[in-house]
Amino acid sequence: MPQRIFLGFDSPFQPQLVDHLLNRCDSLAETLVIVPTSQSGRMLREALAESATAILAPNVTTPGALLHLTEPTIAPSWIERIAWIEVLESISPDEWKAYAALFPSPPTTKDWAESLAGEIVSLRTTLQDHLHNLFTASKFLADTPEADRWESLSRLENLAEKRLASWGFTSRSTALRTEFHLPTHFSKIILAGITEMPPCLTKALESYEGEVLSLIAAPSDEQDHFSELGLPLSSWADRDLPSSPQVAILADPNTQAEAAFQAVANIAACSSKIALGSADDQTGTLLAKIFTENGWNAFHPASSQPPQALVRWLHAWKNWLAKPDSRNLATLLTLPECSSIICGKRAQKLQTLNKIRDKHPAVEPPALLNLLAKMDQPECAELHATVSGLLTQRQAFLGNDFPSALETHLKALDIRDESSRHTLSYIGDFLLPASPIFAKLNRSHVFWLQLLLSELPINPAQPPTDRVIDVQGWLELLFEPGEHLVICGMNETLVPSRSGGEPWLSEKIRQTLQLNTDADRHARDAYLLHAMLRMRETRGTVHLFCCKNGLGGETFLPSRLLLQVPRERLVSSVKNLFREIEPPESDLIWTRDWKWQAPSAATRQRISITALKDYLSCPFRFYLKHLVRMSLPEPDRREMNARDFGSMAHSALEIWAKDPDARQLTDAGKISAYLAGTIDDIILRDFGRKPPLAIRIQAQSILQRLKWFANQQAISSAEGWEIIHVERKISIPSGEFLLSGIIDRVDRHRKTGQLRVIDYKTGDVKSIESEHRQKVTARTKRPVHIPEDAPAYQNGIDSKGKSVDFLWKNLQLPLYALAESIDSGGQLPIPCYVHLGKTEDNVKFTTWDSFSEDDLESARACADWIIGSIANNHFWPPADKVKYDDFALLSQNRPFIEAFREI
């Protein structure tokens, strides 16, 4: 058995460990030191290097690294996962009854085998470290309610082992149970601060012929609380905390990190005297951020890192292989690696693509190529070539065997950064032993690429050269030499930690199989906290922090270890840890730190008639939308928005009305049939032969509305109305500007010659008059941006014959009528809506019968006033609210006048 050496609580563990090793420096080169984690190993190596420069350092490793078997005949996890997938997918429908305890009904979801295989491989990994496989576990559980389920798993395991053997592999579970031995080229093994040990490694240590020492961070009078291997026993869970550390509960991780920094500031010691850590990785990242911002460059080894450039590209390429849609195409163009395979101009091509995606919902590459082929701009031709090229490369990749396809693809990429070169090397090491498996199994390239990506190592955080302090994790804090200990994240489920919540391993099953349980982790973490406190009793300080809520608002409880205090301190501890905590923002009044500054934009000489509605609603929003050309893009929409929906209906009616024969039709059935064929053509042109389901449903809604329209059109034709103009372009001079627009349709009565200007409306609208102007009453809130003497106000007669004031909201149809009146020699056209509503009753022709010459002149005067205001750059103040606000995101639901600087 190992010789236990107790180093005591007189000082932190790491300096004592370093002294012990340096006192035996002659044998260090032949010594294997086992530490709890890779980070604690790095800390030990750095401490040895600082203490003595001219020594042969020992080999430092972790229990997990020792159990990582590298023999070529031992199946890596990905091959074992494939074996399980093959076994699960090979179960025939007739065989499912034999596994009823495991699968009450045969799985029907897509990729179920891949998901389940991953779970089983993970389960076997947990079991194998404890000298179990599914077969032995099923024997241990034979007398439990789970017996049948585990027996089924055992039979499946036998099939998976046979599958691996047929490929020339042995599973890691089998190897650890039968073939695992410790390295024989070391004369001594030292267990340094080890608090838990896999049973398979314990068994190997018992049979090891060399010297084994267990260095324990505790005095010899605590020996009864440690196993023969030096691991803490369960008795630690029942012991009170040895001293009274400063314990504080804060509102959330942010305030917790700020309090930790303030505690360090109050200590006023150099960074080497501080032991800083967090049991919560999220809080650890916040700690590193706050310390760095305040001049102490901090490093958090467990902080998440962005994926390497090559890994990021391969994920995007995998998605393109699986589904060559416009979203995945845009993702490819966002990545620099794409430049080498599309002949440059990546940013320009992405910009062109996104503009098209914003205008056309759910546009996929085949339909995109059709659209681009009809466009004359050079950038569209370049994008067409790029899309065609990427589709060709995709087909070439899928048409080749996977190793060759991937090798060719990687050679075509412009790989420059060093981390991606390391990834390339790893990919090469992966492909070499995997090639025979590729040839044996009929799997898609997407499957293999996903498998490869799941095996690529995660890019570890690299310490900055100018760091002055590290934020350690819970298991590494024992190795911190600082006299002043500051720990965050002292919350339940973090300290003591809990099991991973595996679906197969309940706490009861863990106890039966003698796996690590929550009770074991409780004892381990109780010992670690006990040891760290005792080491700083006579020299140093301890600050422990926990929080009441997480960043997402979830509720946390203080760690139970903080309540393991003597009886006389229990009441005060409970009051402290469960007191009410005000949210950190409770006493703050919201104020804006800065205001938006709208970019400068020159006025345009041609103003759309429909844009005047936006000026009447809010001149500043008009400025942003029509002069700055700001808009909220929607490139990823999978269905038509209101604009797209209306455009499709308009397009169908335009095509019908421009056909001289079709617009003469008077039979509703024939009109409906023509419009239905037109919609089919538009769908095929814009969305290809396989449009998304949402688009098909919306198209059916449009078809139904057009069918109802056909009935109304037939009635209109019978009443004597005929179409004389379609998509009629008009322009009206106003000062130095030109008002322009397109009238959907102009009709003329065959007998009377009366004209009507028509606008199609697919949205919810009431009467034409109410859409264009509103009655001003005593309760009306007058817009701040429209003076009371402005021509936007009109004195007129209401429906009851009373004199009232109106406020223009929209000038579209009145100005259309004005343009048509000018062209027709002074005849006053009738404004008309063709409603294309959701129900048959809401599909109809409605007219503004009371529209008069006075209304026409008032609308013209209002338009001239707007143009004059635009010419004089009058875009301020903004309206408080508008009905449909495209820029609400910028104001954060606050008044616009507070969010923007005046222009």
Side-chain angles (χ1 to χ4, degrees):
M1 291 302 296
Q3 177 186 355
R4 299 187 301 177
I5 298 177
F6 292 89
L7 300 183
F9 287 147
D10 296 334
S11 67
F13 177 66
Q14 191 197 78
Q16 298 187 73
L17 172 61
V18 170
D19 289 343
H20 178 90
L21 294 175
L22 292 180
N23 289 335
R24 296 159 178 79
C25 60
D26 293 342
S27 61
L28 282 184
E30 299 175 355
T31 299
L32 177 66
V33 180
I34 303 177
V35 295
T37 66
S38 58
Q39 173 62 9
S40 56
R42 183 185 67 79
M43 296 163 65
L44 175 58
R45 284 189 290 267
E46 289 181 351
L48 286 170
E50 290 176 2
S51 299
T53 57
I55 64 168
L56 291 174
N59 286 272
V60 181
T61 188
T62 65
L66 280 175
L67 297 178
H68 181 68
L69 307 179
T70 58
E71 288 80 355
T73 58
I74 296 177
S77 61
W78 67 267
I79 288 182
E80 186 171 340
R81 195 157 73 245
I82 293 174
W84 276 95
I85 293 172
E86 290 283 307
V87 166
L88 292 170
E89 291 181 347
S90 67
I91 301 173
S92 66
D94 295 336
E95 294 173 321
W96 278 113
K97 293 180 180 179
Y99 301 99
L102 194 59
F103 309 104
S105 59
T108 57
T109 58
K110 183 182 179 183
D111 299 332
W112 68 271
E114 295 179 27
S115 175
L116 183 57
E119 284 188 20
I120 295 176
V121 170
S122 177
L123 171 63
R124 280 180 29 113
T125 300
T126 301
L127 294 175
Q128 65 198 9
D129 292 348
H130 293 74
L131 295 174
H132 275 304
N133 57 18
L134 296 176
F135 172 76
T136 61
S138 69
K139 298 306 178 184
F140 272 75
L141 298 169
D143 296 327
T144 70
E146 297 286 332
D148 291 342
R149 191 161 72 135
W150 283 83
E151 196 276 331
S152 296
L153 282 172
S154 173
R155 284 187 282 120
L156 289 173
E157 180 183 56
N158 185 47
L159 297 176
E161 293 283 2
K162 289 180 179 179
R163 188 66 59 105
L164 286 173
S166 70
W167 297 341
F169 290 102
T170 300
S171 71
R172 183 169 175 265
S173 294
T174 301
L176 286 175
R177 286 171 53 81
T178 60
E179 304 173 12
F180 177 70
H181 301 285
L182 289 169
T184 58
H185 52 280
F186 296 108
S187 61
K188 182 189 300 183
I189 293 178
I190 295 178
L191 307 180
I194 296 294
T195 53
E196 53 188 354
M197 181 73 70
C200 60
L201 191 53
T202 300
K203 180 180 178 181
L205 285 169
E206 291 172 351
S207 60
Y208 183 68
E209 296 181 356
E211 183 181 7
V212 179
L213 301 179
S214 179
L215 303 184
I216 303 171
S220 57
D221 58 8
E222 298 280 8
Q223 59 182 322
D224 293 340
H225 299 288
F226 292 91
S227 70
E228 294 181 349
L229 201 61
L231 307 181
L233 298 176
S234 60
S235 57
W236 286 101
D238 302 322
R239 300 181 64 174
D240 292 339
L241 293 182
S243 61
S244 181
Q246 298 185 52
V247 180
I249 182 167
L250 286 307
D252 59 20
N254 279 312
T255 54
Q256 186 179 193
E258 291 169 359
F261 174 76
Q262 190 58 53
V264 171
N266 293 338
I267 292 170
C270 62
S271 61
S272 62
K273 300 291 185 181
I274 305 296
L276 179 64
S278 174
D280 173 29
D281 287 344
Q282 190 178 55
T283 305
T285 300
L286 293 173
L287 278 171
K289 177 176 178 290
I290 287 177
F291 273 77
T292 300
E293 289 174 349
N294 285 277
W296 277 26
N297 290 339
F299 171 57
H300 182 221
S303 61
S304 60
Q305 300 297 302
Q308 298 171 8
L310 181 57
V311 174
R312 184 182 57 198
W313 167 262
L314 289 177
H315 273 288
W317 184 251
K318 180 211 51 158
N319 294 336
W320 175 247
L321 294 177
K323 188 176 183 181
D325 60 15
S326 60
R327 176 182 294 183
N328 289 327
L329 173 62
T331 302
L332 290 179
L333 293 178
T334 63
L335 301 177
E337 293 76 18
C338 193
S339 296
S340 59
I341 61 175
I342 64 168
C343 302
K345 293 188 177 181
R346 179 177 58 86
Q348 296 91 321
K349 293 171 182 177
L350 178 61
Q351 186 178 35
T352 303
L353 172 63
N354 283 338
K355 286 181 179 178
I356 294 174
R357 293 176 68 217
D358 190 36
K359 293 181 179 178
H360 300 275
V363 61
E364 304 306 353
L368 176 63
L369 290 175
N370 290 335
L371 286 173
L372 292 170
K374 299 173 183 177
M375 299 177 180
D376 299 330
Q377 298 92 331
E379 60 269 22
C380 294
E382 292 175 345
L383 180 59
H384 187 284
T386 293
V387 177
S388 298
L390 287 171
L391 287 171
T392 301
Q393 291 181 55
R394 175 181 178 273
Q395 288 302 116
F397 192 103
L398 295 176
N400 206 346
D401 64 273
F402 179 73
S404 301
L406 183 60
E407 183 179 357
T408 301
H409 182 72
L410 292 174
K411 286 180 179 179
L413 298 177
D414 186 16
I415 306 298
R416 296 182 181 180
D417 65 289
E418 192 62 28
S419 63
S420 291
R421 293 184 184 276
H422 288 306
T423 304
L424 271 178
S425 175
Y426 186 92
I427 291 174
D429 294 339
F430 174 87
L431 292 177
L432 186 62
S435 294
I437 302 296
F438 295 146
K440 291 179 181 179
L441 303 180
N442 183 24
R443 295 284 172 178
S444 70
H445 288 44
V446 173
F447 174 88
W448 292 122
L449 192 50
Q450 176 60 48
L451 189 67
L452 168 62
L453 288 168
S454 68
E455 291 297 310
L456 291 178
I458 298 174
N459 190 24
Q462 298 299 320
T465 56
D466 58 347
R467 81 184 196 277
V468 298
I469 193 169
D470 289 347
V471 181
Q472 306 295 356
W474 173 250
L475 295 179
E476 289 80 24
L477 278 168
L478 183 67
F479 283 72
E480 267 290 351
E483 299 171 1
H484 304 285
L485 179 65
V486 178
I487 308 178
C488 292
M490 293 296 296
N491 286 98
E492 196 67 11
T493 73
L494 297 174
V495 180
S497 65
R498 296 287 183 87
S499 60
E502 297 93 339
W504 306 93
L505 296 174
S506 65
E507 194 69 6
K508 184 68 174 178
I509 290 177
R510 283 181 168 275
Q511 292 173 2
T512 305
L513 297 178
Q514 299 178 358
L515 307 182
N516 284 345
T517 63
D518 290 343
D520 297 325
R521 294 183 180 89
H522 184 184
R524 179 200 68 185
D525 291 347
Y527 156 69
L528 288 172
L529 182 58
H530 189 107
M532 288 186 282
L533 294 180
R534 287 286 301 274
M535 291 170 183
R536 294 164 176 87
E537 271 186 327
T538 59
R539 185 173 58 184
T541 59
V542 177
H543 294 264
L544 305 178
F545 297 97
C546 58
C547 61
K548 207 171 187 69
N549 299 101
L551 291 177
E554 61 272 30
T555 301
F556 291 150
L557 291 174
S559 168
R560 72 186 76 173
L561 300 184
L562 300 179
L563 295 172
Q564 289 185 207
V565 296
R567 187 179 185 87
E568 62 271 15
R569 289 179 12 218
L570 183 58
V571 173
S572 60
S573 295
V574 170
K575 286 182 177 180
N576 176 42
L577 293 172
F578 291 91
R579 60 190 172 88
E580 286 295 326
I581 300 291
E582 288 289 337
E585 300 86 4
S586 61
D587 59 344
L588 297 181
I589 299 175
W590 189 89
T591 57
R592 188 178 296 279
D593 293 328
W594 46 270
K595 291 187 176 184
W596 293 106
Q597 177 63 62
S600 299
T603 55
R604 305 175 188 277
Q605 297 304 113
R606 181 180 290 269
I607 303 293
S608 170
I609 289 174
T610 55
L612 301 182
K613 175 182 179 180
D614 294 325
Y615 189 94
L616 289 167
S617 175
C618 174
F620 183 65
R621 290 175 175 85
F622 167 89
Y623 175 84
L624 295 177
K625 182 176 180 179
H626 298 286
L627 299 188
V628 180
R629 298 291 179 91
M630 290 178 66
S631 63
L632 184 64
E634 294 182 84
D636 285 329
R637 62 191 188 278
R638 308 304 297 169
E639 61 183 17
M640 292 184 284
N641 58 21
R643 180 193 66 191
D644 304 322
F645 191 91
S647 294
M648 179 176 287
H650 276 64
S651 296
L653 292 169
E654 176 187 349
I655 293 170
W656 162 76
K658 283 185 174 180
D659 186 326
D661 295 327
R663 74 186 190 189
Q664 298 297 326
L665 294 173
T666 57
D667 180 83
K670 294 180 179 180
I671 297 172
S672 178
Y674 186 97
L675 290 170
T678 304
I679 289 293
D680 290 342
D681 293 340
I682 293 173
I683 292 290
L684 180 64
R685 179 196 70 193
D686 292 348
F687 304 103
R689 297 186 180 277
K690 295 181 179 180
L693 176 62
I695 298 294
R696 298 201 300 270
I697 293 173
Q698 289 177 306
Q700 288 301 313
S701 176
I702 292 175
L703 283 172
Q704 181 60 69
R705 297 187 191 200
L706 293 179
K707 182 178 180 180
W708 292 330
F709 162 81
N711 294 330
Q712 296 298 318
Q713 175 59 33
I715 294 172
S716 176
S717 179
E719 291 174 346
W721 293 100
E722 60 181 357
I723 302 171
I724 59 172
H725 299 299
V726 179
E727 295 296 305
R728 180 171 172 79
K729 294 182 179 180
I730 60 170
S731 58
I732 303 171
S734 180
E736 298 179 356
F737 291 75
L738 199 65
L739 291 169
S740 62
I742 299 176
I743 306 175
D744 288 343
R745 169 176 154 187
V746 180
D747 284 5
R748 181 177 59 202
H749 197 275
R750 295 188 188 91
K751 294 183 178 179
T752 65
Q754 176 65 54
L755 300 176
R756 64 182 181 188
V757 288
I758 293 177
D759 192 60
Y760 296 118
K761 289 294 180 185
T762 53
D764 294 328
V765 293
K766 297 180 180 179
S767 67
I768 301 177
E769 183 176 6
S770 64
E771 287 295 315
H772 285 79
R773 66 184 185 184
Q774 69 178 88
K775 185 188 296 185
V776 178
T777 67
R779 300 177 62 182
T780 301
K781 184 178 179 181
R782 295 176 181 263
V784 296
H785 57 278
I786 300 179
E788 292 191 10
D789 59 348
Y793 289 100
Q794 174 199 6
N795 183 261
I797 305 298
D798 66 7
S799 59
K800 298 179 180 179
K802 296 181 179 180
S803 176
V804 295
D805 286 336
F806 293 98
L807 174 62
W808 286 105
K809 311 190 291 185
N810 185 1
L811 301 174
Q812 183 185 12
L813 282 182
L815 292 184
Y816 286 178
L818 174 63
E820 196 60 39
S821 173
I822 294 172
D823 290 347
S824 64
Q827 181 183 162
L828 181 65
I830 301 173
C832 178
Y833 274 162
V834 173
H835 297 264
L836 299 171
K838 298 177 182 178
T839 64
E840 186 171 5
D841 291 341
N842 287 325
V843 176
K844 56 189 175 182
F845 287 71
T846 60
T847 55
W848 188 351
D849 295 326
S850 63
F851 185 74
S852 64
E853 291 283 354
D854 291 340
D855 296 328
L856 192 72
E857 290 304 319
S858 176
R860 181 169 194 164
C862 182
D864 290 340
W865 169 75
I866 294 174
I867 293 300
S869 300
I870 294 172
N872 292 320
N873 293 316
H874 289 165
F875 303 109
W876 199 263
D880 290 339
K881 293 182 180 180
V882 295
K883 187 174 182 180
Y884 302 109
D885 194 350
D886 296 331
F887 305 100
L889 183 65
L890 298 179
S891 67
Q892 298 175 318
N893 295 319
R894 308 286 294 186
F896 249 56
I897 201 166
E898 296 179 10
F900 288 85
R901 296 182 184 275
E902 183 175 352
I903 57 173

